[in-house]
C-alpha cells in the first residue's frame, strides 16, 4: 500500500513541477467553450434544410432550393426534376452561379448546342429548349443531372446531349449546362 | 401564346426569331412557315446559329453563302445533299419547306427572277445522293468557283451580307 502511495505522490509531484494550475484551468476552459461553440461553425447545412418537395440541388450539399414561385414556370431550377431539364446531361447552371438561362460569371455560353422539347406542367404545352453549355472554367461539379428525353444517338449530333458543345466556344472546357426556352413547340 | 409571353418576360436569354431578316419580298412556296421554322430550330439552328452565321467548330455559315450556291445546279444540289439536310428526320415535304424557309429568311439578295424554289420531289431525289464524306470538299469546290473564293467563309463568318447588318438588325 505504501508503495502505491509513494508512486502516486511521485507522479502528482512530478506533474505539478512540470505544469501550472493556470494552464490546467485554461485547458479545461478551452475544452468547455470549444464543445459549446462547435455547432456554430459554418458547416454546409443547407442540404439538411427542410425540403419543399423539390429537393434543391438534388440534395447536393450547399445548394439551397430555389423554387420559381411561378405557376407558369413551376419547379426549382436547382433540381434535376425541373421541367426544363427533361433532356439535360450535365451540371445545372442554376447550382453554379448562373440560372437555367444564363451562364455563371466568368464563363462563356457555347454558340452551338442541341435542341429538344420539354412539357411544361404549368400550362401543359411543349416548349423548345436549347441546352447551351457554359465554357471556359473547370467543371462546376454541382447538381449533376442526366435526363435524356429527346436525346438521340451520336449519328444525329443536333439532338445528342453527350457532345461537349463547348467545342464551338473559345475554350472547350465545360462548366455547366443551361436550358433556354427558344419557342413553343406548336407546329410540331 | 400569353403563357409563352409571360415566360419570355422572365427569361432574358430567349433569342429573337430571325424571321423577316431578308430585305426583299419573297414568294417562296412554304406550305407551313411555322412548322418550317420549328424544324429549322430543332434540326439546324443549334449548329448553324440563330442567324445562320455558322460557328467555328460547329457548322459553316449559310448567310452570304447560299446566295451563291443557288446560282448553280451543283450548289443547289449541294444544299439538299449535305448530311445535315439529307439525314434530317423530316419528310421530303417538310425538308423542302425548311429549305425554302431558309432561303426566304437568310438570303442576302432576292434570288434570280427565274429561280425555282425547292419542291419535295427534287429534294427527295437529291437527299438520296447524300454527300456522306465529301461535304467539306464539295463546299470548298463550290466556294472556289464563286466570288466568295476571296473570303475565308469556310472557317469563319465573314460578315455575310455585303450591305452589312443594316438590313439584318436582329
Amino acid at each position: 500500500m505504501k508503495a502505491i502511495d509513494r508512486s502516486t505522490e511521485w507522479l502528482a509531484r512530478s506533474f505539478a513541477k512540470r505544469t501550472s494550475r493556470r494552464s490546467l484551468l485554461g485547458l479545461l476552459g478551452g475544452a468547455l467553450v470549444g464543445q459549446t461553440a462547435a455547432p456554430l461553425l459554418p458547416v454546409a447545412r443547407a442540404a439538411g434544410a427542410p425540403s419543399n418537395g423539390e429537393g434543391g440541388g438534388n440534395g447536393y450539399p450547399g445548394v439551397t432550393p430555389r423554387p420559381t414561385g411561378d405557376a407558369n414556370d413551376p419547379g426549382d431550377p436547382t433540381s434535376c426534376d425541373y421541367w426544363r431539364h427533361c433532356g439535360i446531361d450535365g451540371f445545372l447552371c442554376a447550382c453554379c452561379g448562373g440560372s437555367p438561362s444564363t451562364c455563371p460569371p466568368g464563363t462563356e455560353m457555347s454558340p452551338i448546342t442541341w435542341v429538344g422539347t420539354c412539357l411544361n406542367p404549368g400550362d401543359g404545352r411543349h416548349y423548345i429548349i436549347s441546352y447551351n453549355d457554359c465554357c471556359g472554367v473547370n467543371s462546376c461539379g454541382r447538381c449533376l443531372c442526366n435526363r435524356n428525353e429527346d436525346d438521340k444517338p451520336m449519328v444525329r449530333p443536333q439532338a445528342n446531349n453527350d457532345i461537349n458543345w463547348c467545342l464551338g466556344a473559345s475554350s472547350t472546357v465545360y462548366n455547366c449546362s443551361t436550358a433556354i426556352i427558344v419557342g413553343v413547340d406548336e407546329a410540331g | 401564346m400569353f403563357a409563352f409571353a409571360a415566360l419570355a418576360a422572365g427569361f432574358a436569354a430567349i433569342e429573337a426569331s430571325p424571321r423577316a431578316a431578308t430585305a426583299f419580298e419573297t414568294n417562296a412556296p412554304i406550305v407551313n412557315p411555322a412548322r418550317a421554322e420549328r424544324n429549322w430550330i430543332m434540326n439546324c439552328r443549334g449548329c448553324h446559329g440563330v442567324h445562320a452565321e455558322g460557328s467555328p467548330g460547329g457548322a459553316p455559315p449559310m448567310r452570304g453563302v447560299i446566295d451563291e450556291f443557288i446560282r448553280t445546279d451543283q450548289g443547289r444540289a449541294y444544299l439538299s445533299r449535305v448530311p445535315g439536310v439529307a439525314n434530317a428526320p423530316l419528310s421530303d415535304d417538310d425538308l423542302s419547306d425548311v429549305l425554302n424557309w431558309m432561303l426566304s429568311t437568310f438570303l442576302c439578295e432576292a434570288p434570280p427572277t427565274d429561280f425555282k424554289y425547292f419542291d419535295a420531289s427534287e429534294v427527295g431525289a437529291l437527299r438520296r445522293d447524300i454527300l456522306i464524306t465529301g461535304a467539306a470538299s464539295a463546299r470548298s469546290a463550290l466556294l472556289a468557283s464563286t466570288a466568295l473564293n476571296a473570303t475565308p467563309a469556310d472557317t469563319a463568318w465573314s460578315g455575310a451580307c455585303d450591305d452589312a447588318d443594316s438590313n439584318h438588325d436582329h
Side-chain angles (χ1 to χ4, degrees):
Chain A
M1 214 48 181
K2 276 190 177 178
I4 296 174
D5 284 348
R6 258 191 238 112
S7 62
T8 305
E9 182 187 359
W10 180 83
L11 280 172
R13 285 185 186 281
S14 60
F15 183 72
K17 280 178 190 170
R18 283 185 281 112
T19 58
S20 67
R21 276 168 291 183
R22 201 171 282 181
S23 71
L24 178 65
L25 288 174
L27 196 68
L28 289 173
L32 194 66
V33 171
Q35 193 176 16
T36 312
L40 300 178
L41 290 172
V43 293
R45 67 177 55 76
S51 170
N52 62 351
E54 288 288 340
N58 311 322
Y60 191 89
V63 176
T64 308
R66 291 209 312 261
T68 61
D70 182 351
N72 286 324
D73 179 25
D76 181 349
T78 67
S79 167
C80 193
D81 293 332
Y82 181 50
W83 68 274
R84 279 203 254 170
H85 296 155
C86 77
I88 208 166
D89 180 4
F91 302 114
L92 306 180
C93 284
C95 300
C96 305
S99 76
S101 305
T102 58
C103 284
T107 64
E108 170 198 3
M109 186 173 284
S110 62
I112 59 173
T113 182
W114 82 280
V115 179
T117 62
C118 291
L119 173 65
N120 180 353
D123 59 11
R125 302 163 83 183
H126 288 270
Y127 286 79
I128 301 175
I129 308 292
S130 179
Y131 294 100
N132 296 67
D133 287 340
C134 299
C135 318
V137 174
N138 283 343
S139 285
C140 160
R142 296 194 196 95
C143 306
L144 179 63
C145 180
N146 188 6
R147 295 171 64 188
N148 297 300
E149 283 183 36
D150 278 349
D151 177 45
K152 298 290 189 299
M154 198 72 85
V155 293
R156 295 202 189 286
Q158 73 272 23
N160 183 272
N161 70 6
D162 295 322
I163 293 174
N164 175 13
W165 289 98
C166 287
L167 56 85
S170 56
S171 166
T172 58
V173 177
Y174 168 80
N175 181 258
C176 64
S177 298
T178 61
I180 303 166
I181 295 175
V182 294
V184 186
D185 186 20
E186 289 183 319
Chain B
M1 191 49 74
F2 174 77
F4 177 60
L7 283 175
F11 306 138
I14 292 177
E15 292 275 11
S17 167
R19 184 167 291 195
T22 50
F24 53 89
E25 291 294 322
T26 71
N27 57 350
I30 306 168
V31 177
N32 187 336
R35 184 176 171 85
E37 181 176 4
R38 180 263 185 198
N39 286 332
W40 151 264
I41 293 173
M42 293 294 294
N43 297 286
C44 317
R45 191 180 109 156
C47 290
H48 284 284
V50 175
H51 308 298
E53 71 273 25
S55 173
M62 290 185 188
R63 273 186 64 204
V65 178
I66 53 175
D67 289 74
E68 298 297 330
F69 283 0
I70 63 169
R71 295 179 192 281
T72 65
D73 290 342
Q74 294 91 339
R76 181 187 178 91
Y78 171 84
L79 292 177
S80 294
R81 294 176 64 205
V82 288
V85 174
N87 274 333
L90 301 172
S91 68
D92 294 346
D93 287 311
D94 280 342
L95 194 56
S96 66
D97 242 17
V98 170
L99 286 168
N100 288 331
W101 181 89
M102 282 164 37
L103 295 179
S104 73
T105 306
F106 299 123
L107 281 176
C108 292
E109 298 172 355
T113 51
D114 59 346
F115 178 73
K116 180 174 170 290
Y117 281 92
F118 291 99
D119 63 41
S121 61
E122 178 191 11
V123 170
L126 288 170
R127 74 188 301 193
R128 282 158 185 76
D129 186 22
I130 182 174
L131 289 164
I132 297 175
T133 58
S137 58
R139 179 184 172 88
S140 295
L142 283 169
L143 289 173
S145 67
T146 71
L148 293 173
N149 188 28
T151 68
D154 252 348
T155 54
W157 188 32
S158 59
C161 303
D162 286 340
D163 55 355
D165 286 337
S166 56
N167 291 329
H168 303 89
D169 187 22
H170 38 245

